[in-house]
Amino acid sequence: MARERTFIAVKPDGVQRGLVGEIVSRFEQKGFKLVGIKLMAPSNDLARRHYGEHEGKGFFAGLVSFFTSGPIVAMCWEGDNVIEMARAMMGKTNPKDAAPGTIRGDLAIDVGRNVVHGSDSPESAKRELELFFAAGELVEWSRGVDAHVYEKA
Ligand code: DAT
Ligand code: MG
């Protein structure tokens, strides 16, 4: 049965700081299923389209230049309520407001270096997954452990 999917990215600061494993691990340990992952260098055009909703804001140019400054790890995670739960696991956008225990609360200090991206709605998830992944790059697979993660596997 298809569950909800979301787009998560370890941003260039997270990759440079060696936090890929830590961030992947948090979603794995929660029980979500990884269905797509790749290291990639986003083009300027991809970064601008990804962050299109922020065009015109004061931080947009810096955001695009940061997002294209090095490789990112683009991922698709699947699970019940994964969009909302992943956002909660990431914590508030500004790490100074992000609670300890969240990814940004534990691993970041500055809003412009907040280590992780996650889609904020089903519409964003669909749009962002289509932007970063070709259909064949997402892998359908079944997990035996689902019976231990979900009451209704
Ligand atoms: P989120 O990444 O939590 O979805 P967002 O969509 O509002 O947050 O903003 C996208 C990114 O832009 C965010 O992760 C960091 C950066 N950003 C947001 N607000 C900012 C600000 N006031 N100053 C600098 N960077 C900002
Ligand atoms: Mg956002």
Side-chain angles (χ1 to χ4, degrees):
M1 188 189 79
R3 299 182 188 273
E4 191 173 80
R5 289 180 171 181
T6 193
F7 175 66
I8 302 287
V10 181
K11 295 183 183 178
D13 52 342
V15 176
Q16 292 286 348
R17 292 175 56 200
L19 297 174
V20 174
E22 167 73 25
I23 292 169
V24 168
S25 185
R26 295 207 178 203
F27 294 107
E28 278 187 325
Q29 289 182 1
K30 177 72 173 171
F32 293 129
K33 185 168 83 173
L34 185 64
V35 296
I37 184 166
K38 62 179 172 184
L39 183 78
M40 63 180 295
S43 66
N44 194 268
D45 179 62
L46 179 61
R48 295 181 71 89
R49 286 207 278 159
H50 173 55
Y51 282 122
E53 66 177 300
H54 299 300
E55 198 157 2
K57 295 181 186 168
F59 60 83
F60 184 71
L63 178 60
V64 168
S65 114
F66 162 60
F67 200 71
T68 55
S69 66
I72 67 162
V73 173
M75 297 180 280
C76 177
W77 287 90
E78 187 179 283
D80 284 358
N81 299 312
V82 66
I83 298 171
E84 189 183 333
M85 282 201 224
R87 292 283 297 187
M89 290 167 65
M90 286 162 42
K92 295 264 175 59
T93 301
N94 193 329
K96 85 174 167 53
D97 303 319
T102 64
I103 295 170
R104 288 162 169 171
D106 289 347
L107 305 175
I109 294 172
D110 192 316
V111 67
R113 298 289 185 271
N114 62 3
V115 303
V116 69
H117 169 84
S119 309
D120 63 6
S121 67
E123 297 71 32
S124 307
K126 182 175 186 302
R127 188 183 72 82
E128 293 169 1
L129 286 170
E130 286 173 1
L131 209 48
F132 285 86
F133 288 100
E137 291 179 321
L138 300 182
V139 179
E140 305 284 342
W141 60 292
S142 56
R143 289 191 312 186
V145 80
D146 272 0
H148 304 284
V149 174
Y150 297 105
E151 184 179 1
K152 293 195 175 87

